[in-house]
Amino acid sequence: VSPLGTTNLTARASYSNNTTAVVTDVADWVSTTPSVATVVDGVVTGVTEGTSIITATVGSVTASVTVTVTDTP
């Protein structure tokens, strides 16, 4: 993502009965470095160049992804 650019993340839950569901709207989203990238409801916005880990949590389950913000096209 670029500074001031956005990208959308999707959180999916997998259940023991082999079904899945999109849980993006109910997940709690956190950025480890909000000075680099912020996240609201799965929408990541670049702030300045660097990396940040974005984590989605639903209940006791978490998933994370590393986001790199770069000014390179």
Side-chain angles (χ1 to χ4, degrees):
V1 68
S2 62
L4 301 179
T6 62
T7 192
N8 295 319
L9 300 178
T10 301
R12 287 187 176 85
S14 297
Y15 299 100
S16 59
N17 65 357
N18 293 323
T19 61
T20 62
V22 174
V23 293
T24 304
D25 293 342
V26 297
D28 292 320
W29 294 90
V30 177
S31 169
T32 58
T33 317
S35 60
V36 172
T38 61
V39 61
V40 176
D41 295 333
V43 179
V44 178
T45 301
V47 178
T48 190
E49 290 188 303
T51 59
S52 184
I53 298 171
I54 306 296
T55 301
T57 302
V58 177
S60 61
V61 179
T62 64
S64 299
V65 64
T66 300
V67 172
T68 301
V69 179
T70 181
D71 205 10
T72 306

